[in-house]
Amino acid sequence: MFIVCGKTDIRRGIDSLTYIVKKSFNLDPFSGCVFLFCGSRRDRFKALYWDGQGFWLLYKRFENGKPAWPNNEDEVRVLTSQSNQTQVL
């Protein structure tokens, strides 16, 4: 799993988000990893995932409150016991 720090224009779709993954971070969006993006309001998130047949683009909007989202690598904290595979972009 990769967390894209800072804000991303959450209006972007699959093609634009895969472009960010490839060009900005030199990663393969077809790798089977999950890429997490956060909008500027910090209450909207998208997850991009390739399952071998196509992309999943998941969208989450929080109605009450805003979860903390890192602006940079120094602000990243452990989320779960499985997050040792999470990398920060």
Side-chain angles (χ1 to χ4, degrees):
M1 178 185 308
F2 292 91
I3 295 174
V4 178
C5 293
K7 61 184 177 180
T8 302
D9 183 352
I10 212 68
R11 298 172 295 177
R12 293 176 179 253
I14 291 171
D15 293 336
S16 295
L17 295 174
T18 57
Y19 182 83
I20 289 172
V21 169
K22 286 192 287 189
K23 296 299 180 185
S24 296
F25 304 109
N26 200 26
L27 295 170
D28 181 9
F30 298 96
S31 65
C33 292
V34 175
F35 299 92
L36 297 176
F37 302 87
C38 179
S40 61
R41 290 191 206 169
R42 308 283 174 145
D43 67 342
R44 295 156 200 241
F45 302 87
K46 282 192 174 177
L48 181 68
Y49 169 69
W50 172 258
D51 71 0
Q53 297 179 329
F55 279 103
W56 285 84
L57 185 60
L58 304 168
Y59 177 79
K60 173 77 173 185
R61 182 180 69 195
F62 285 86
E63 295 297 327
N64 297 314
K66 298 176 182 180
W69 190 261
N71 287 312
N72 56 54
E73 188 174 342
D74 295 334
E75 295 180 6
V76 174
R77 301 291 177 252
V78 174
L79 302 175
T80 69
S81 62
Q82 296 178 348
S83 66
N84 61 348
Q85 295 181 4
T86 300
Q87 295 185 15
V88 179
L89 303 175

